[in-house]
Structures are given as C-alpha cells and as structure tokens.
Amino acid sequence: MVAAETGAPAPTAVLAEDASDTAFRERLRTFLSEHHPGKPPKDPAQSLAHQRAWLATLFDAGFAGPSWPREYGGMELSFAQQLIYQEEYARARVPGPMGTGLGIAAPTIIKYGTPEQKQRFLRPMLRGDSVWAQGYSEPEAGSDLPALRTTARRESQEYVVNGQKVWNTHADHADILFTLVRTGSPESRQKGISYLLIDAHAPGVEVRPLRDLTGASHFCEIFFHDVRVPVGNRIGEENEGWPLVRTSLGHERAAGAMNQAALYRRVVSELIALAQQRGRAADPLVRDRLADFEVRVRIMAQTGQRVIADILARGEPGPASSTSRLFITAFEQDLHEFAVDMLGEYALLGRADPNAVERSRWTMGFLRTRASTIGAGTSEIQRNTIAEQVLGLPHDPGMPAR
Amino acid sequence: VTLTFTDEQEQLRSSVRRFLADKSSSEAVRSVMETEAGHDPAIRSQMAEQMGLNGLAVPEEYGGSGYGPVELGIVLEETGRALLPGPFFATVALAGQALNAAGGEAAARWLPSIAEGTLTATIALSEEQGFTLHDLATTAAADGALTGTKMFVIDGASADLLLVAARTPDGPGLFAVDGTAPGVTRTPLESLDPTRRLGRVDLADAPGVRVDRPRDGTVYLRRVLDLAVVALAAEQVGGAQACLDASVEYAKLRVQFGRPIGSFQAIKHKCADMLLEVESARSAAYHAQSCVADADPELPIAAALAAAYCSEAYVHAAKENLQIHGGIGYTWEHDAHLYLKRAKSSELLFGTPARHRGVLADLVGI
C-alpha cells in the first residue's frame, strides 16, 4: 500500500452531498480545467501579471469569493459548497489569491464598511485589480499590538499619517495598505486605534523589502512620512478600530485548515518516499518518527473534519478549532527538522549545489517554518488566548487590560 | 462517518455522567478500590439492568439494544472520566465486542448474559513475555484443551468467562474457558492501577471452546485487538479530559504570590497544550469509532493511530495535572495519582505506543 493514497479524508467526506452540490462541483471542476492558466512564468513581474489575469478570469465568470455576499461580486455559497470550492480549487492547482486582503480586510469591510466603501474597494480586490497588504505590526508593537505608535493626525477631511510598519507580507506589490493607526492619545492603547486604508502609491509612502533568514524577501517594512489619507478611507469610527481586527467571514478558517491538512498529507508521503529512497526507513528510530508524522497528519485532517461536522450540525466549531493552528505549526517545524537530521550533511548544501537533495527543500522548509510559530501571533500569545478565552483562566494582572 | 453527536447521543452522555457522578464519585471509587472485589456490585447491576448499558452495543438478536460503537464510546468516555472500577470495561468493551465480532455460536451462547449483566468476562492476550499477538506460548489441543500462562489479564482473577488467545497447529485462535473450570488457576496480581485489577491465569488442560472460526485466527485476533484499543481510546479521552478539567479548576482557585496560578503564563501554556492534545486525541478516537461503526477497511490504521496518540495524550495530561497541583497532587488523598496510574496502565496494557506506531508503519507501507 502506498501512503499517499490512503488517509487523506476530504473535508467533504462529512457531507451528504446533494444533487445541487454535485452539480456545483461538476460546474466548478469543468471551469477550472477548461480555463486553467498553465504554469506561471519564471520572471516575477510576468508571474504577477499571470496571476492577476487568472483572478480576473475567475471573477468575470462568477467563480471568485466563495464566502462573500453576491452584491460585492462573491458567490455567497453555503458552508458545504464553500468546502467543495476549496477542495476543487486545491485540486486544480491554479494560482491563489493575491495579497492578504481577501481573508483579513475584506470581512472587515463587508461587516463594518459604508455602502460607498464596499462599492469602491471590494470588487477590485476580489478581481485582483488592486492588491492589498496588511500594516499592523511595528518595531515596538509586535505581540503587544495595542502599543502601536504610527499616528494619524486629523486635518479637516484628511488624516496625516507618520510612522513605521513592519512584517508586511508582499507589501512591495500592494496597491492598498490596510493599517491600524493611532488616532487617540499615546497612552490610549486599544481605545485610540483606527482602521485606515492607505493608498500604497501615495506620496510619503516608502516600502522596503525586508530580507528574511531564507534569503528571500516576502516581507517588507513600510515608512509613512506625512502621508495624506482621506477620512473616507477609515473603516468604522475613529478610535474604534481595535474590535474590527479579528473579523472573519463565516467559517473560512475551518475550510482553510482542511487545505493545510491536504497539503501536509502530500508532504508526509514525500518525506516517507525520501526516507525509503535513501535507505533510511528501516532504521527503527526513523521509522518511529515517520509513523508519528503519519499519525499527526491524519489527526490534522480528522480534527478538520470534526470542526466542520460541528459547524454543519450546530453552527459553531468546538474547542478543537482553537488549537488547530498550534497543532499545525508545531507539526511543520518538527517535520522539516526531522527531514534535515535524516539527510545529515546533505542538508547542509544550498539549493543550487548539484549535490543538494531535492533542491534543499527540506532545509529551506526548516528555515522557513521558524516563522510559523512567530507570524500572525506567536505560539506563546496563542496559548495565552486559548487559556483565557477557551479554558477561562484568569487574565495576567501584570499585563495591560484587554 | 460520525464525528459529531445527535441529541439522543448527547442525552446518553449526560445521563451516564449524572449516574456516575452520583454513584461513582471520587470518594466512592476510593472506598471500593480498597476492598477485595475492587468495585461496587450495586453499580454494576444498575448499569446493566436500569440503564441497559451492558447491552447497548450488543445486537438485538443477542438480547442487546443494537446501538453501536459510537454509543459504547460515549459510555466509555464517561467511565474513563470517572475512573469507574469494575467489570464493565473488560466484560462489555473487551469480551462483548470480541464475541460480537466472532458471531455464530459463541455470540449466541454468551452475549445475551453479557447484555443482561449476569455474566462477567474478559480477554486474555498477554503472556509472561508481555503483550503479544504472535508467538503465543499457550497452546490449544485439538479438543480445545488449553495449556499455558496468561498474564496481565484485566479482571483475570474474577471474570466468569475468559477468552484466551492460544496457538493451534493452524495458527492462533480465541478460546472461551469458564473461570472456575478444572485446570484453571487464577491469581490476582498486585497492580499499579488500583481501579483496574489484573490477574494471572494458569491453564493446565483447561477445557476451552473455540470462539472464532477454526483454523488461522490471526485476522480475527487483530480485529479483537483493534476493537479493544478503540474502546480504550474512548476511556483515555475521558480520563485526559478529566485531568484537564481538574487542572483548569485548580489553576483558577489556587492563589500564590497574591494571584491565581492560572494567571501565570507557565500554567496557561501547559493547559493550552493539554487542550490541544485532548482535542486531538478526541479526533483520533472518534474517527476510529466511526471506522468500527461503518465497517471501514481503514479500521486497523485508525485503531493503531488512536492507540498510539490517545495513550500518550492521557499520560501527558495526567502528569501535567499532577504538576499543576504541586505538592497536593503528590499526596495519596488527591486523585491526580489515580489518573496517572490509570493512564500508565492503559498505555502499556495492549502494547506500547511505539508498538502501535510500528503497526501503523507496516499498514501504510513505511
């Protein structure tokens, strides 16, 4: 039996798929295969254009934004059909969305934006005509985000923004930056924060790619020098931006967790194949670790299914959904480090070296996944949140109030 | 696939939980575990007769109510949470499921009395060398006469009926033998876990009856083991959840340095990690139960996975619970040690987590 062919329960395995679901799946699958844009070009600028063209094709055919309301160009699918969408999309291996706006900024605008803002921002974002990047963290405000210092001073119908943001994923391609800025007093913490959309091409905005430890530049830092932003670009009320930060649409994250389980199902099978190919799988210690990754990747999918089953049955995910990110991030770090150790000295070679194994993907993964337990909230902060919000443990009196 | 519960199943869970909170509280468990029997016979008969729990997963044709492994899992999660001592686990989850899997005459002969609650039973797999499904030293003659030594048998010294794995010239098989039959010598073992009694069974030409079909019973015995560890996984999830609940409750109440210890990150992080493992164990256990219920051919994989993961998750939760309780957790009077001992005995009784991972590795082609 080949590992890759078993144990990857599809998210939709918990569904009783009815005729309209099946018809939807067929329609989507046909569309994705007939319009598949092919392999992206190597050149970064061309690759970007390729991705944009694909998103426009998708949008124009009405196949973009599975969880979005129809009036903003989305599909407004049932949760069941959203899962089908995710599954088919991943299966087709077509380019994904651009920027980080879709999952984070869009739900906020959909829930809290004015009709004019929704009209102006949502469709171009979904169609890939404007690319969005997040501007939350700052050099002095990482885990303690409410300490942020970038100021937005009100001058009649404009804000004048000054300050610095950091860890902004793909901000160098962005057209719009969705940011948190201080509109209250310096000590106001979360009571003085506003949610502001800033034109990335406006005068005074400077985006610098930041080289990370892998040598690549996925992140940027952003400097604002007297950047003038219309007041109409503020989402929600002034000083009331903080509660908007954690807005999400429906249960997109539960569907996202299933995609990761499917991705890592493939990776574990590739790791097993690598161990076998290099004659290491018979070593009892290696075999035990491989079996442990097999256990964990299957549990990842089983938990994803269970969360989805709970959403379908009760409308709410259970406590398992709160820990799935911790589970996945620890898993991906352990997995890559194990692969590196198994490869031994071969893991020490750079990707261009002719002796490198699989272009050093495991070593690069080992390095890349250092970020897994840092970005989007460190594991430590996540554990605090789970302990307080899921288990009800008391707030740390040494920390500022939430 | 059953990964979430119906209202009826939730009602079953709450009625079992209420019953056990009422009849098998921590004080009650502690007082019966010191007695010779090790359990309260009144609870045993109430579970069988009033609540119908013994026959829950027994098919109607054998006098049960015909529910399945998911309902049994719900009950076991609760008995595990309450550390219920007594014959329920071995009789219903181990022997009952083994007989049901065998079907035929054996099921017709013994399952009705298990469902009624009049017969206690167990399965005897391990031997002096420890847990094994292969290399059995116990032999069965052509007439079923059994000779050998079975060790670490849950309720081995007390169960009415013993289902014994033994070697025949055609391969291994499972044999039923009356606990009081001539040639059967039973000795209680002093066990680490005071809520789960173990025994040694010496067989010298003891009269056995084949339970599964004649010839090579290897596949059947593997299935018996799969059913056993899936049932045990449900208990482990219940026990691990009890440890997490106790830790969280104590961390909210216990004040040191002028604040509840649960406000310290060191404690919060432990509790968050316990939740992660308990929920992951739950996923594995429920998935394995649904494989049993759906007669999914992936059951052997799901069972090995659940056995490996749930065992370690429970032991870890039990150790962390003890640590979070500090000095009080180290005392005899506190329940933390009872959970730790149950967790350890559950982890080792049907093969270690490493063994289960080895089985999984074989099954998925590693």
Side-chain angles (χ1 to χ4, degrees):
Chain A
M1 204 184 316
V2 178
E5 285 162 11
T6 61
T12 46
V14 294
L15 298 175
E17 197 171 303
D18 69 18
S20 76
D21 293 340
T22 309
F24 170 71
R25 183 190 289 282
E26 289 299 316
R27 217 154 42 80
L28 179 61
R29 186 177 290 190
T30 307
F31 175 83
L32 293 174
S33 77
E34 281 176 3
H35 295 81
H36 196 294
K39 279 201 167 179
K42 285 254 186 289
D43 174 69
Q46 282 178 23
S47 166
L48 214 61
H50 168 92
Q51 194 179 4
R52 282 195 179 212
W54 164 248
L55 293 175
T57 306
L58 205 60
F59 180 91
D60 295 343
F63 281 116
S67 60
W68 286 33
R70 274 176 201 275
E71 52 172 320
Y72 312 122
M75 302 171 76
E76 208 171 323
L77 296 177
S78 67
F79 184 64
Q81 291 195 359
Q82 286 180 43
L83 295 175
I84 293 173
Y85 182 95
Q86 297 288 354
E87 205 172 282
E88 291 300 320
Y89 204 93
R91 186 178 172 274
R93 300 206 189 195
V94 286
M98 301 177 77
T100 51
L102 289 168
I104 311 171
T108 310
I109 296 172
I110 288 171
K111 282 204 181 161
Y112 301 102
T114 63
E116 191 271 334
Q117 288 171 332
K118 292 177 190 177
Q119 217 52 50
R120 198 171 128 211
F121 294 117
L122 290 171
R123 283 171 188 269
M125 187 199 305
L126 190 54
R127 196 170 182 275
D129 295 337
S130 64
V131 177
W132 292 49
Q134 176 180 294
Y136 289 177
S137 298
E138 297 182 3
E140 301 298 325
S143 291
D144 185 15
L145 197 52
L148 63 90
R149 294 179 187 175
T150 295
T151 56
R153 190 180 70 247
R154 181 83 177 252
E155 279 186 10
S156 146
Q157 285 311 296
E158 284 181 334
Y159 287 107
V160 180
V161 179
N162 281 285
Q164 183 190 349
K165 295 289 179 182
V166 72
W167 314 126
N168 316 106
T169 309
H170 296 310
D172 45 348
H173 308 307
D175 301 301
I176 298 180
L177 308 169
F178 54 104
T179 68
L180 296 176
V181 293
R182 182 148 311 283
T183 40
S185 70
E187 306 76 35
S188 58
R189 291 189 59 83
Q190 57 269 54
K191 291 184 180 128
I193 290 173
S194 298
Y195 199 107
L196 200 60
L197 308 182
I198 301 177
D199 178 353
H201 310 297
V205 176
E206 188 191 342
V207 178
R208 292 186 202 152
L210 198 65
R211 202 163 178 214
D212 65 40
L213 85 180
T214 67
S217 299
H218 297 297
F219 300 109
C220 299
E221 46 188 352
I222 307 172
F223 298 87
F224 299 111
H225 309 283
D226 288 330
V227 179
R228 305 192 83 84
V229 182
V231 168
N233 279 19
R234 189 191 68 224
I235 308 295
E237 296 302 312
E238 189 168 279
N239 293 331
E240 292 177 17
W242 181 252
L244 276 53
V245 173
R246 302 244 171 259
T247 312
S248 63
L249 261 192
H251 300 287
E252 299 178 320
R253 282 177 201 157
M258 280 308 309
N259 286 351
Q260 281 205 291
L263 164 74
Y264 274 112
R265 165 69 276 167
R266 274 208 299 273
V267 175
V268 169
S269 299
E270 287 160 2
L271 177 66
I272 292 169
L274 177 70
Q276 287 168 336
Q277 206 182 302
R278 300 185 69 82
R280 297 296 315 279
D283 176 336
L285 296 178
V286 169
R287 199 171 134 85
D288 187 64
R289 292 294 306 278
L290 290 173
D292 184 51
F293 292 123
E294 182 74 28
V295 165
R296 286 156 77 184
V297 81
R298 283 168 182 266
I299 288 179
M300 201 186 289
Q302 291 163 4
T303 298
Q305 280 196 325
R306 195 156 68 84
V307 167
I308 286 165
D310 277 337
I311 292 170
L312 290 169
R314 295 175 219 295
E316 281 302 321
S321 68
S322 69
T323 53
S324 65
R325 206 176 137 234
L326 275 182
F327 187 97
I328 293 170
T329 52
F331 170 85
E332 60 188 4
Q333 290 188 341
D334 292 351
L335 175 110
H336 285 101
E337 183 158 20
F338 167 77
V340 164
D341 293 349
M342 185 180 73
L343 289 171
E345 288 138 312
Y346 280 88
L348 304 179
L349 300 175
R351 67 167 78 198
D353 191 285
N355 300 295
V357 177
E358 298 180 5
R359 302 195 72 236
S360 294
R361 68 175 278 203
W362 303 101
T363 305
M364 296 316 284
F366 165 67
L367 294 176
R368 183 176 44 77
T369 56
R370 296 298 99 199
S372 308
T373 48
I374 301 171
T378 64
S379 295
E380 288 73 19
I381 293 294
Q382 280 184 67
R383 287 188 176 95
N384 289 349
T385 307
I386 292 165
E388 293 178 20
Q389 294 179 10
V390 182
L391 297 174
L393 286 172
H395 186 67
D396 183 344
M399 302 265 276
R402 279 194 302 271
Chain B
V1 185
T2 312
L3 298 169
T4 188
F5 298 104
T6 64
D7 290 345
E8 192 189 7
Q9 288 168 334
E10 290 295 353
Q11 279 164 19
L12 171 68
R13 179 189 301 285
S14 52
S15 73
V16 175
R17 186 175 295 188
R18 264 199 317 275
F19 172 81
L20 292 173
D22 189 29
K23 306 281 180 179
S24 188
S25 63
S26 161
E27 298 74 39
V29 169
R30 284 168 167 277
S31 75
V32 295
M33 77 187 192
E34 311 273 5
T35 65
E36 199 190 326
H39 69 98
D40 178 356
I43 293 178
R44 176 192 151 190
S45 60
Q46 283 165 348
M47 284 177 73
E49 292 157 24
Q50 290 167 22
M51 306 191 67
L53 299 180
N54 288 38
L56 198 64
V58 172
E60 288 174 14
E61 58 174 314
Y62 302 127
S65 46
Y67 290 95
V70 176
E71 286 77 12
L72 179 61
I74 290 170
V75 176
L76 292 170
E77 215 179 304
E78 296 305 317
T79 58
R81 168 192 274 271
L83 290 177
L84 177 75
F88 185 84
F89 180 73
T91 301
V92 176
L94 300 183
Q97 292 201 104
L99 289 165
N100 191 28
E105 272 177 45
R109 181 161 167 197
W110 289 294
L111 269 180
S113 2
I114 284 181
E116 263 174 27
T118 51
L119 181 79
T120 61
T122 190
I123 59 176
L125 305 176
S126 296
E127 303 195 331
E128 283 176 298
Q129 57 163 325
F131 176 81
T132 181
L133 274 190
H134 318 285
D135 316 322
L136 292 163
T138 303
T139 56
D143 64 353
L146 301 165
T147 299
T149 296
K150 288 290 171 182
M151 286 288 286
F152 317 111
V153 181
I154 299 178
D155 300 341
S158 60
D160 300 326
L161 183 73
L162 309 167
L163 304 179
V164 174
R167 178 161 56 87
T168 78
D170 298 322
L174 195 68
F175 294 82
V177 56
D178 187 321
T180 59
V184 178
T185 310
R186 307 194 291 171
T187 320
L189 299 171
E190 188 190 340
S191 33
L192 165 78
D193 175 1
T195 63
R196 178 153 283 166
R197 298 292 169 93
L198 300 178
R200 170 188 173 115
V201 180
D202 288 295
L203 303 155
D205 266 334
V209 176
R210 184 81 185 240
V211 169
D212 54 323
R213 276 172 300 178
R215 298 193 203 292
D216 189 355
T218 305
V219 173
Y220 169 75
L221 281 179
R222 281 197 193 131
R223 179 163 178 82
V224 168
L225 178 66
D226 288 344
L227 295 171
V229 298
V230 173
L232 188 60
E235 258 206 18
Q236 289 168 320
V237 167
Q241 180 75 54
C243 291
L244 172 60
D245 292 348
S247 295
V248 169
E249 192 190 343
Y250 187 72
K252 287 178 186 172
L253 296 176
R254 170 71 173 169
V255 173
Q256 287 288 274
F257 305 101
R259 49 195 270 202
I261 61 167
S263 67
F264 290 108
Q265 296 196 16
I267 303 294
K268 283 187 175 150
H269 292 187
K270 276 187 190 298
C271 291
D273 286 337
M274 284 163 84
L275 177 71
L276 181 151
E277 291 182 20
V278 170
E279 287 298 329
S280 302
R282 199 179 287 287
S283 297
Y286 291 176
H287 178 78
Q289 282 165 18
S290 82
C291 284
V292 178
D294 302 345
D296 191 321
E298 286 234 334
L299 172 65
I301 293 175
L305 182 166
Y309 194 90
C310 297
S311 295
E312 290 183 345
Y314 189 9
V315 170
H316 186 234
K319 290 190 296 194
E320 294 292 59
N321 182 40
L322 206 152
Q323 177 69 20
I324 288 168
H325 278 83
I328 196 84
Y330 189 70
T331 62
W332 183 262
E333 285 71 27
H334 197 274
D335 287 347
H337 73 100
L338 297 179
Y339 284 97
L340 178 64
K341 291 167 183 174
R342 175 65 79 84
K344 214 19 138 178
S345 77
S346 304
E347 182 185 35
L348 300 181
L349 271 175
F350 295 102
T352 61
R355 182 189 179 278
H356 295 300
R357 281 192 292 272
V359 170
L360 178 76
D362 285 339
L363 290 168
V364 302
I366 297 174

